[in-house]
Amino acid sequence: MNRVFSKNKLLHYLLMVSVAISTVFSTNAAYSQAVLTPLLLYFGSSAGDNFTTGTEEGRTSAINSGYYFVRKEGCAFRYPRSGTVPLKLYFGSASGDNYTTGTSDGANSAIVSGYYFVRTEGYVYPTQQPGTVPLKLYFGSASGDNYTTGTSDGANSAIVS
């Protein structure tokens, strides 16, 4: 299923990468589903890639590429709102890695690493707000996979004791 990362390697990379990249709404948020889009995690076993998407185009792309659905990570706004930032998807052709980030540091890191911008997956708050949960970014050095999660299950699957 999801690739797991050793604690030592994970901690090393967490120091290098912004951990709380943005915040998303929990599934219990009091916003209309017409305003929100679910952030869904897919996994491609042949590429060893975790892919978090909030768009129909992303879901279709994941399924057509042989990825399978793992879980709902949270929700993002479908359109920009006051105080939100875009949740951007980048793709690394050389690594086959999808990288979803909501920070300028994350976007710069992606570009410097040879990733290209694909699309905006939704809009999120840059800091945690009431009724939201933080998105966290994990990086697996062995797999080269950037993994964005907003759930405790996702965080637990990224760390091996």
Side-chain angles (χ1 to χ4, degrees):
M1 189 161 149
N2 290 344
R3 184 155 307 213
V4 289
F5 311 100
S6 73
K7 230 182 226 181
N8 289 339
K9 288 182 182 177
L10 176 64
L11 292 175
H12 172 74
Y13 285 100
L14 288 178
L15 294 174
M16 297 172 58
V17 180
S18 177
V19 177
I21 64 170
S22 53
T23 60
V24 297
F25 288 95
S26 70
T27 56
N28 298 327
Y31 284 90
S32 162
Q33 289 302 314
V35 175
L36 300 175
T37 184
L39 293 176
L40 304 178
L41 175 64
Y42 289 86
F43 183 73
S45 53
S46 63
D49 181 40
N50 289 281
F51 173 29
T52 303
T53 183
T55 61
E56 186 60 37
E57 185 179 358
R59 291 185 284 276
T60 300
S61 175
I63 292 165
N64 290 344
S65 298
Y67 286 55
Y68 62 87
F69 175 75
V70 178
R71 79 181 135 262
K72 182 177 179 179
E73 294 292 341
C75 295
F77 288 111
R78 290 182 188 274
Y79 305 103
R81 293 177 61 97
S82 178
T84 63
V85 296
L87 186 61
K88 297 178 180 180
L89 173 65
Y90 290 86
F91 183 74
S93 298
S95 62
D97 181 39
N98 289 282
Y99 178 17
T100 309
T101 183
T103 66
S104 56
D105 285 346
N108 291 336
S109 176
I111 292 165
V112 166
S113 298
Y115 287 61
Y116 64 87
F117 175 76
V118 177
R119 72 182 148 266
T120 297
E121 296 291 338
Y123 296 86
V124 295
Y125 290 110
T127 59
Q128 190 165 5
Q129 303 293 310
T132 67
V133 295
L135 276 176
K136 295 180 181 177
L137 175 64
Y138 295 91
F139 180 76
S141 60
S143 65
D145 182 34
N146 289 282
Y147 172 37
T148 304
T149 183
T151 64
S152 57
D153 286 345
N156 290 336
S157 71
I159 301 171
V160 175
S161 298

